[in-house]
Amino acid sequence: MTELRHRGATDKELQHQNSKDKGSETEGKERDGASDNETKSDSGVPEVPVSADDTPEVLNKALSGLSSRWKNWWVRGILTLAMISFFFIIIYLGPMVLMMIVLCVQIKCFHEIITIGYSVYHSYHLPWFRTLSWYFLLCVNYFFYGETVTDYFFTLVQREEPLRILSKYHRFISFALYLTGFCMFVLSLVKKHYRLQFYMFGWTHVTLLIVVTQSHLIIHNLFEGMIWFIVPISCVICNDIMAYMFGFFFGRTPLIKLSPKKTWEGFIGGFFATVVFGILLSYVMSGYRFFVCPVEFNNDSNSFTVDCEPSELFQLQDYGLPPVLKSITGWTTVKLYPFQIHSIALSAFASIMGPFGGFFASGFKRAFKIKDFANTIPGHGGIMDRFDCQYLMATFVNVYIASFIRGPNPSKVIQQLLALRLDQQLHIFNSLKVHLTEKGLLPALEEAA
């Protein structure tokens, strides 16, 4: 009886405790109702529509008798040759066309990544957000391309009054444009969607950082000489193709879990093939001024010119061979362009670190359960799928040039001097004259004149 009474008392206490918990839970729901609704509104399962087969019907019919593995091989091969041919055509058309292509690729990559964000977070119903994303793209491009115009078109900018004003206040105008977009974003915030809107705000800015900044660096590399644009991009393309070929025919050992189809055989084979390709391509291109001369703006013709006296970097020099190679080849020296030595570093980076851009993209796609960024190119996916490694390469080339190649630029110094007041220019002139006289250079120059 005592045990029954004790058990009954315990049951009553449990019932009382449960009723208190339910009451407090109800109070919590009433108190936090708004936040729960907001959480439900912000939450969304990452779902991106699976793209359909985009292979042209002609290729489907022609390759209908092959297995899916070989069909994919032929589709990728045919489209790769088509893209390489297009690449040769735009190189022939010159630096202006290359810059326009870089801008178009940048816009398309931005569109593909932003579209995934809209699909993942179901944000199509958010007010003004699609417009704001493209507005921020416009602002960032205005800032970067304005800086480029000021650097490389200085004489043209100084000649035209409107351009001179825009150049002088360029950074302030850029900041004002961005601040306008920021205020528009704050004013567009909607109750129950705050978290989702900040997700997309961050998504947009990370995309801008990855895409626009890197394309800006690509154009800076192009102005140093088309060879700094073509060789790195070609090395990445070569590595992508040769790693695929070696992996397709000889691949047995998986390389990384993010990309199960990538193998060590493809990675190593692609490395050696890319280094050899980089050395040979550099040798061919170093002999042409069209590729090695910096891209400059001619004030007389108001157009870009690619003509100069090639620097020592692009002049053949004798290099002594190591004893091992001397015994094998019988040669004591070999003639190489110094740029070929630098091309080894470029091709090595394209082979070792470049693929990590692809692995990063693979992880991104796996996170959102998609195969490709888009279905723009049959067998290859979207434009971003083809340029995921190029962006790492662009940054490396820009840092490499600044660290090991580029020295003080006299034209940039002159641009800064011309921007000074006349009395400041005269002061610098007198100081420089005294310095040259003390060095004994000025009398020699006067006698020569």
Side-chain angles (χ1 to χ4, degrees):
M1 292 291 293
T2 305
E3 184 178 350
L4 288 176
R5 286 194 197 99
H6 178 70
R7 184 177 298 175
T10 304
D11 291 342
K12 287 180 181 180
E13 289 175 4
L14 288 173
Q15 290 175 4
H16 180 66
Q17 182 66 33
N18 288 336
S19 63
K20 285 178 66 178
D21 291 341
K22 288 180 180 179
S24 61
E25 186 178 348
T26 304
E27 291 176 1
K29 287 182 178 179
E30 291 175 355
R31 184 172 58 251
D32 300 327
S35 61
D36 287 344
N37 291 333
E38 185 174 327
T39 303
K40 289 179 181 178
S41 300
D42 282 344
S43 63
V45 180
E47 292 177 356
V48 179
V50 180
S51 58
D53 184 15
D54 56 349
T55 307
E57 190 62 29
V58 177
L59 288 178
N60 273 328
K61 290 182 179 179
L63 305 175
S64 58
L66 299 176
S67 64
S68 59
R69 183 169 181 260
W70 279 100
K71 178 182 175 181
N72 182 63
W73 191 89
W74 278 103
V75 170
R76 288 175 65 94
I78 293 171
L79 269 297
T80 298
L81 291 176
M83 288 188 288
I84 291 174
S85 302
F86 178 71
F87 184 56
F88 286 146
I89 292 172
I90 62 175
I91 289 173
Y92 174 77
L93 294 176
M96 277 299 294
V97 177
L98 281 174
M99 284 187 285
M100 295 304 298
I101 292 296
V102 170
L103 179 60
C104 292
V105 168
Q106 174 216 116
I107 294 172
K108 179 58 180 172
C109 290
F110 180 82
H111 172 259
E112 290 178 358
I113 299 176
I114 288 297
T115 300
I116 292 174
Y118 291 145
S119 301
V120 166
Y121 293 111
H122 308 287
S123 56
Y124 290 101
H125 56 282
L126 293 180
W128 293 103
F129 213 89
R130 183 183 291 272
T131 304
L132 282 174
S133 296
W134 288 100
Y135 176 81
F136 281 124
L137 176 67
L138 178 66
C139 291
V140 176
N141 271 307
Y142 175 80
F143 171 74
F144 280 123
Y145 281 88
E147 294 283 318
T148 302
V149 167
T150 303
D151 287 342
Y152 294 99
F153 298 86
F154 181 79
T155 52
L156 176 63
V157 169
Q158 292 299 312
R159 196 170 61 197
E160 302 292 336
E161 182 65 23
L163 292 178
R164 186 162 63 248
I165 295 173
L166 288 174
S167 174
K168 183 177 181 180
Y169 302 105
H170 172 69
R171 296 197 175 186
F172 180 80
I173 295 172
S174 301
F175 178 72
L177 289 173
Y178 179 83
L179 198 61
T180 302
F182 179 81
C183 293
M184 290 169 62
F185 166 74
V186 174
L187 294 174
S188 70
L189 291 173
V190 179
K191 189 178 181 180
K192 300 183 181 180
H193 296 292
Y194 295 143
R195 187 185 303 171
L196 174 58
Q197 288 181 283
F198 279 100
Y199 279 157
M200 292 306 301
F201 185 77
W203 186 289
T204 299
H205 280 67
V206 171
T207 305
L208 290 172
L209 176 66
I210 294 173
V211 175
V212 182
T213 306
Q214 305 304 318
S215 66
H216 175 68
L217 295 179
I218 289 175
I219 291 176
H220 268 258
N221 299 340
L222 174 62
F223 273 102
E224 295 294 329
M226 292 180 65
I227 195 169
W228 292 104
F229 172 85
I230 297 172
V231 169
I233 286 180
S234 300
C235 285
V236 173
I237 294 172
C238 174
N239 181 256
D240 193 25
I241 294 172
M242 298 311 297
Y244 177 77
M245 296 290 288
F246 276 94
F248 186 86
F249 290 106
F250 308 108
R252 296 291 183 273
T253 312
L255 175 63
I256 188 170
K257 291 183 179 180
L258 281 174
S259 297
K261 293 183 180 180
K262 298 291 192 327
T263 62
W264 276 103
E265 291 79 4
F267 184 79
I268 296 171
F271 170 81
F272 286 106
T274 304
V275 171
V276 173
F277 171 80
I279 294 173
L280 295 177
L281 180 63
S282 299
Y283 181 82
V284 173
M285 295 184 66
S286 294
Y288 294 92
R289 294 187 179 187
F290 179 73
F291 296 120
V292 304
C293 290
V295 181
E296 296 178 347
F297 185 76
N298 190 317
N299 297 313
D300 298 329
S301 60
N302 286 332
S303 61
F304 285 103
T305 58
V306 185
D307 189 22
C308 67
E309 187 64 32
S311 65
E312 293 182 358
L313 200 61
F314 305 105
Q315 295 178 8
L316 284 171
Q317 298 182 17
D318 290 325
Y319 289 91
L321 291 177
V324 177
L325 293 179
K326 286 181 182 179
S327 60
I328 295 174
T329 61
W331 302 339
T332 55
T333 60
V334 62
K335 283 186 175 295
L336 293 174
Y337 292 102
F339 181 79
Q340 288 181 269
I341 309 299
H342 295 291
S343 73
I344 296 175
L346 299 179
S347 56
F349 183 89
S351 304
I352 298 174
M353 299 305 299
F356 279 85
F359 300 152
F360 178 85
S362 296
F364 179 87
K365 289 183 283 188
R366 284 181 173 275
F368 298 107
K369 302 177 182 178
I370 56 176
K371 181 182 178 183
D372 298 311
F373 283 95
N375 57 354
T376 309
I377 310 171
H380 291 268
I383 298 294
M384 191 64 198
D385 291 285
R386 292 301 90 210
F387 285 88
D388 47 11
C389 300
Q390 296 288 0
Y391 289 113
L392 276 179
M393 194 69 199
T395 306
F396 173 73
V397 173
N398 192 267
V399 172
Y400 189 88
I401 292 173
S403 302
F404 304 108
I405 305 299
R406 186 192 299 131
N409 191 336
S411 62
K412 295 290 180 66
V413 175
I414 292 174
Q415 290 177 13
Q416 293 174 349
L417 289 176
L418 293 176
L420 298 175
R421 299 193 311 269
L422 292 178
D423 60 322
Q424 294 174 327
Q425 294 179 20
L426 185 60
H427 174 72
I428 292 175
F429 170 76
N430 291 327
S431 300
L432 185 60
K433 182 178 179 180
V434 171
H435 173 74
L436 293 176
T437 303
E438 291 175 353
K439 294 291 185 180
L441 296 175
L442 193 58
L445 293 175
E446 290 176 349
E447 290 175 5

